[in-house]
Amino acid sequence: MEEEMLQQLRSKATELLLREEWIQAINVYSQLISLCQQNLSQPHQTSDPADRLSKLHKSLSLAFSNRADARSRLRDFDVAIEDCERALEIEGTHYKALLCKGKILLNLNRYSDASHCFQKALFDNQSNGSSETLQGYLDRCKKLEFQSKTGAFDLSEWVLNGFKGKSPELAEFIGSVEIKRSENIGGRGLFTTKNVEAGTLLFVTRAVATGRGILPEPGEDADESARLVMWKDFIDKIVEASMKCGRTYRLICTLSSGEREEDLGVPDISLFRPEADELVFTKEKPDMGKILSILDVNSLTEDAISATVLGRNKEYSGVGLWILASFINHSCNPNARRLHVGDHMMVHASRDIKAGEEITFAYFDVLVPLRKRREMSKTWGFQCNCKRCRFEEVFGCREELREIEMVLEFGGSDKGALVFKLEEWMKKWVAKGKEKGYLRASFWAMYSEVFKSEKSMRRWGRRMPAIGAVAENVAEAVGADERVVQTMAAEGLRKSSDGGSTAEMERAMKLGRGICSKAMKKQATRAYLELCLVQD
């Protein structure tokens, strides 16, 4: 009778597993596990034949491994790992348990531990026809572990193929960075520990969760409703991830909720590495209110000015939580940018950064005058006090700049004349280097319109600096930006098609490192810039 019940439960659980009804399968496997344990614990079974006890142990280990598989499909990794361990306690070389545990560890970015599981399964199961599958997992582990240790990523092939197919599988990587107190804002920030060149990868991290969709145009009645639905879906995913993984929740809790920033501790960067000691993450019931406050302050959009979303169309929008990236503060002369590749964020230097310098993003469009940047910063709940803002605060009171802003606001003026006036005024004010870059960046829309207009260039071209010099000056001051590089690349492509010099394109390619990072080779960077020009 008991054997018949065991067989019924096994059959039912297997059917649910094949139908991918994970929750129901977990429940049935739990019943099967309980029944197996009851049979093994009853005293009268100590005299049972050895083969019957062996069958019960095999049934129990298989039930644990299959329940682990179902739990892992629901991303309930903590308890799934526990099930794998219990199966391996019964049978140390249980193939399914080793395979499931390895896949979970691979998902948790613990590449070396995952590789150990696959190697053990391969060594002990060479005759069951699984060697090709296991070798595939071992190759993935080797590739990802290499990326994680070296930061040697290459997106070139994917970009050259026009972002076709799935986005590349990426490892998590933390380069020469640390978390410290930020003198600029009084809170915490991310800093470099050595000099890095433009395009250098600083870290690569995967989102805890994302919410994504193609939203209606801003202002439409359905727009706000669609955003609320996306936001709710995103919150639900974060809460679920926090409940299922103690490590995830504790890392989320290292972030600011927007209050008493000075009281928060400064976590060691090693805490964010996948191989961090699990013992430091104690089980704690997630606080919903705390999570909501943290998300309100730290969520990042994928369609932001400071980011590049590879392989997405213009209507696409998304929001996510990338924990380490949340320690990066805003600046109107930022030195870092981010690439979104699938659920991963690749953060790289958009210009050269010195050792000990704080890493900063642009939270909003910084290619606008100070007055507009002040308005946008209010929506974020702060006022930027970076070098550029302090410089422009002094220069902003000049009547000449106010005049340009007013003319641009009402439109209808010859932009070439305005560019010429600003260049002449900067000579009069003895503005040099980055100071020029700051002002040119604030009025970049004006420069861009002139550089893109053949009529304006015929009239004013000889009386203003070359497009390459302006673009490089702006990039040095506020970091690389697609709009700046695209303008120079467009000029380079035009001259190239006319059989002329391609100096502008070469300079655009050099600045392109600050947009695309060194994860793209020269040919891929050019292809990306050309693709951006087509979509512009």
Side-chain angles (χ1 to χ4, degrees):
M1 187 68 178
E2 289 178 348
E3 181 59 38
E4 184 180 343
M5 187 176 295
L6 286 169
Q7 185 56 45
Q8 288 177 354
L9 288 172
R10 277 193 290 263
S11 299
K12 185 177 180 182
T14 302
E15 181 184 347
L16 291 168
L17 206 62
L18 291 172
R19 284 160 49 184
E20 298 186 357
E21 296 181 15
W22 311 122
I23 295 176
Q24 295 91 327
I26 290 168
N27 292 333
V28 177
Y29 276 119
S30 296
Q31 294 175 43
L32 179 57
I33 288 167
S34 178
L35 188 57
C36 285
Q37 290 173 331
Q38 286 176 22
N39 275 268
L40 286 168
S41 65
Q42 290 175 7
H44 72 272
Q45 292 195 351
T46 56
S47 59
D48 282 358
D51 62 334
R52 186 173 187 281
L53 291 176
S54 176
K55 285 181 180 179
L56 280 171
H57 280 108
K58 284 184 179 296
S59 291
L60 186 58
S61 57
L62 183 59
F64 274 127
S65 64
N66 283 338
R67 189 172 71 174
D69 183 35
R71 283 173 161 171
S72 71
R73 303 302 182 108
L74 296 173
R75 303 189 65 81
D76 209 345
F77 295 136
D78 283 359
V79 290
I81 284 281
E82 289 177 7
D83 275 349
C84 289
E85 294 290 357
R86 294 176 76 176
L88 292 170
E89 286 174 7
I90 300 168
E91 187 180 341
T93 60
H94 194 277
Y95 173 73
K96 276 200 170 184
L98 287 170
L99 180 63
C100 184
K101 183 180 178 182
K103 287 159 70 174
I104 293 170
L105 292 170
L106 182 58
N107 201 287
L108 294 173
N109 305 307
R110 291 166 58 181
Y111 314 114
S112 180
D113 293 338
S115 181
H116 177 74
C117 287
F118 296 134
Q119 285 174 342
K120 186 174 177 61
L122 182 63
F123 179 79
D124 292 315
N125 295 274
Q126 292 181 351
S127 62
N128 70 354
S130 60
S131 58
E132 188 175 340
T133 298
L134 290 168
Q135 191 59 54
Y137 280 117
L138 283 168
D139 291 343
R140 283 175 62 191
C141 288
K142 183 178 179 181
K143 173 188 172 183
L144 294 171
E145 188 172 10
F146 177 76
Q147 289 181 349
S148 182
K149 288 181 177 179
T150 64
F153 297 82
D154 188 359
L155 304 177
S156 300
E157 184 177 348
W158 184 53
V159 175
L160 289 170
N161 286 333
F163 311 112
K164 292 178 181 176
K166 287 185 177 181
S167 56
E169 185 178 23
L170 305 178
E172 291 212 338
F173 163 75
I174 298 179
S176 304
V177 299
E178 63 180 342
I179 302 169
K180 292 168 47 179
R181 290 287 175 192
S182 173
E183 295 180 2
N184 295 327
I185 65 167
R188 304 167 301 174
L190 200 65
F191 295 76
T192 57
T193 58
K194 68 176 185 181
N195 295 339
V196 296
E197 296 179 344
T200 300
L201 275 176
L202 301 171
F203 63 89
V204 179
T205 183
R206 185 168 58 183
V208 174
T210 59
R212 291 170 171 151
I214 296 178
L215 302 179
E217 290 294 326
E220 293 184 10
D221 293 339
D223 175 56
E224 187 63 25
S225 177
R227 289 185 183 277
L228 287 173
V229 169
M230 188 171 71
W231 179 251
K232 183 182 181 302
D233 175 62
F234 169 58
I235 291 174
D236 289 344
K237 289 178 180 178
I238 293 291
V239 172
E240 183 179 12
S242 299
M243 293 177 67
K244 289 181 175 179
C245 181
R247 180 177 188 271
T248 296
Y249 180 60
R250 291 308 304 152
L251 289 178
I252 291 174
C253 288
T254 62
L255 301 178
S256 169
S257 60
E259 298 180 359
R260 302 184 66 85
E261 179 78 18
E262 66 279 1
D263 294 339
L264 295 174
V266 179
D268 190 275
I269 196 68
S270 63
L271 196 68
F272 300 88
R273 300 185 187 279
E275 64 273 17
D277 189 351
E278 293 288 337
L279 293 177
V280 302
F281 300 101
T282 57
K283 292 279 186 178
E284 184 179 343
K285 185 178 179 181
D287 182 330
M288 185 68 172
K290 187 173 185 178
I291 289 175
L292 290 175
S293 297
I294 289 172
L295 291 181
D296 190 48
V297 175
N298 296 281
S299 301
L300 291 171
T301 55
E302 290 183 311
D303 58 351
I305 291 294
S306 57
T308 296
V309 181
L310 298 178
R312 302 293 185 182
N313 59 37
K314 288 187 176 181
E315 290 74 30
Y316 172 86
S317 183
V319 63
L321 179 66
W322 292 267
I323 296 176
L324 190 55
S326 297
F327 285 94
I328 299 180
N329 293 308
H330 167 85
S331 174
C332 291
N333 62 323
N335 54 25
R337 285 182 62 89
R338 59 189 197 261
L339 299 179
H340 290 280
V341 181
D343 285 343
H344 285 80
M345 179 191 291
M346 307 178 75
V347 178
H348 64 273
S350 60
R351 55 185 172 86
D352 295 347
I353 308 177
K354 295 180 180 179
E357 185 178 346
E358 183 170 1
I359 299 164
T360 53
F361 277 153
Y363 286 8
F364 45 76
D365 189 1
V366 295
L367 295 189
V368 293
L370 176 66
R371 179 177 57 82
K372 288 188 176 180
R373 300 202 309 275
R374 287 276 193 253
E375 291 174 2
M376 287 186 285
S377 67
K378 285 181 181 179
T379 66
W380 286 81
F382 68 86
Q383 179 169 303
C384 185
N385 193 38
C386 67
K387 289 181 181 179
R388 177 185 173 192
C389 286
R390 293 198 299 270
F391 166 75
E392 290 187 50
E393 203 160 15
V394 175
F395 271 71
C397 62
R398 295 180 182 271
E399 290 185 10
E400 296 91 336
L401 293 182
R402 289 183 177 179
E403 178 186 331
I404 291 179
E405 282 192 61
M406 289 181 64
V407 171
L408 289 174
E409 189 173 343
F410 291 103
S413 177
D414 183 347
K415 302 301 189 299
L418 294 178
V419 170
F420 178 73
K421 285 181 180 180
L422 178 57
E423 290 291 328
E424 290 298 305
W425 288 334
M426 287 193 292
K427 290 178 184 177
K428 178 182 175 182
W429 301 332
V430 197
K432 297 180 180 179
K434 285 189 176 181
E435 294 177 345
K436 278 187 176 181
Y438 294 154
L439 293 173
R440 286 167 168 170
S442 289
F443 295 98
W444 175 254
M446 178 175 77
Y447 279 88
S448 178
E449 187 173 329
V450 174
F451 287 137
K452 289 179 179 179
S453 169
E454 291 186 14
K455 181 180 178 181
S456 292
M457 289 302 290
R458 281 197 300 269
R459 181 176 181 184
W460 296 99
R462 294 183 180 181
R463 287 182 282 180
M464 63 178 62
I467 181 174
V470 174
E472 288 177 344
N473 181 223
V474 171
E476 181 186 4
V478 300
D481 185 284
E482 277 96 341
R483 291 162 293 179
V484 177
V485 179
Q486 285 168 17
T487 300
M488 186 160 57
E491 179 67 8
L493 289 172
R494 184 186 68 78
K495 287 187 176 180
S496 178
S497 64
D498 293 340
S501 170
T502 59
E504 285 84 2
M505 192 62 194
E506 288 299 316
R507 295 171 89 171
M509 292 286 291
K510 184 178 179 182
L511 289 184
R513 291 182 308 168
I515 299 171
C516 305
S517 88
K518 294 179 180 179
M520 293 186 207
K521 294 177 181 176
K522 189 173 182 179
Q523 187 180 2
T525 300
R526 182 183 178 111
Y528 174 71
L529 292 176
E530 291 176 355
L531 182 63
C532 288
L533 286 171
V534 171
Q535 294 179 344
D536 189 25

